């Protein structure tokens, strides 16, 4: 982070230094009766941390955040390159278009990763 002096009125501003790291997660979503099964893989060359928290959105002409009715106790999961974990969510979804959001942590940065899927 750089602190710079802004001309006029002797104010200071903060400019973020650097850009967040590029992180990919391969997320495969399989809707089953009464649950969603997520398979999350790390295709990166570095380890990635994720939590068990999931955000769920439904497309209703716009993306509407749904409350899956699940309480997530934050637990960090470390994925080494090539590793895959499975997460099951006890949620029943009607047919439609959805999006899952997971967060990855690399080098202290929090990166949002999204995956769209359809329930038929």
């Amino acid at each position: 982070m750089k602190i710079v002096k802004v001309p006029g009125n002797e104010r200071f501003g903060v400019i973020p230094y650097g850009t967040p790291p590029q992180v990919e997660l391969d997320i495969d979503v399989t809707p089953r009766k009464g649950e969603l099964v997520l398979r999350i893989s790390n295709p990166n060359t570095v380890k990635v941390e994720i939590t068990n928290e999931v955000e769920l959105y439904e497309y209703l002409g716009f993306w509407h955040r749904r409350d899956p009715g699940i309480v997530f106790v934050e637990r960090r999961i470390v994925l080494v390159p090539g590793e895959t974990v499975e997460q099951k969510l006890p949620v029943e979804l009607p047919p439609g278009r959805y999006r899952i959001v997971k967060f990855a942590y690399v080098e202290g940065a929090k990166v949002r990763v999204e995956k769209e899927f359809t329930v038929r």
Side-chain angles (χ1 to χ4, degrees):
M1 177 178 327
K2 282 187 192 175
I3 298 178
V4 295
K5 189 171 181 180
V6 179
N9 297 335
E10 301 301 317
R11 297 179 306 168
F12 288 88
V14 177
I15 296 176
Y17 184 73
T19 58
Q22 294 296 317
V23 177
E24 294 292 326
L25 289 178
D26 288 337
I27 303 174
D28 181 43
V29 182
T30 306
R32 293 186 185 157
K33 185 174 180 168
E35 69 181 3
L36 285 178
V37 179
L38 309 178
R39 290 181 51 80
I40 304 149
S41 301
N42 177 8
N44 303 288
T45 57
V46 296
K47 74 177 182 178
V48 175
E49 291 183 36
I50 61 171
T51 64
N52 56 352
E53 181 181 0
V54 174
E55 290 181 4
L56 177 63
Y57 294 84
E58 181 178 15
Y59 189 73
L60 305 169
F62 59 93
W63 287 107
H64 171 71
R65 185 171 178 179
R66 288 185 55 130
D67 180 6
I70 303 169
V71 175
F72 295 100
V73 176
E74 185 167 336
R75 181 178 62 113
R76 292 275 176 116
I77 302 162
V78 177
L79 295 175
V80 295
E83 186 175 12
T84 300
V85 294
E86 186 174 276
Q87 181 177 3
K88 294 181 181 181
L89 303 175
V91 69
E92 184 74 42
L93 297 175
R97 186 171 155 202
Y98 296 90
R99 176 170 49 191
I100 286 285
V101 175
K102 294 288 289 180
F103 293 97
Y105 300 86
V106 177
E107 300 170 7
K110 181 178 180 180
V111 181
R112 180 184 174 106
V113 181
E114 303 176 356
K115 173 69 176 191
E116 286 189 30
F117 65 98
T118 304
V119 175
R120 298 182 194 276

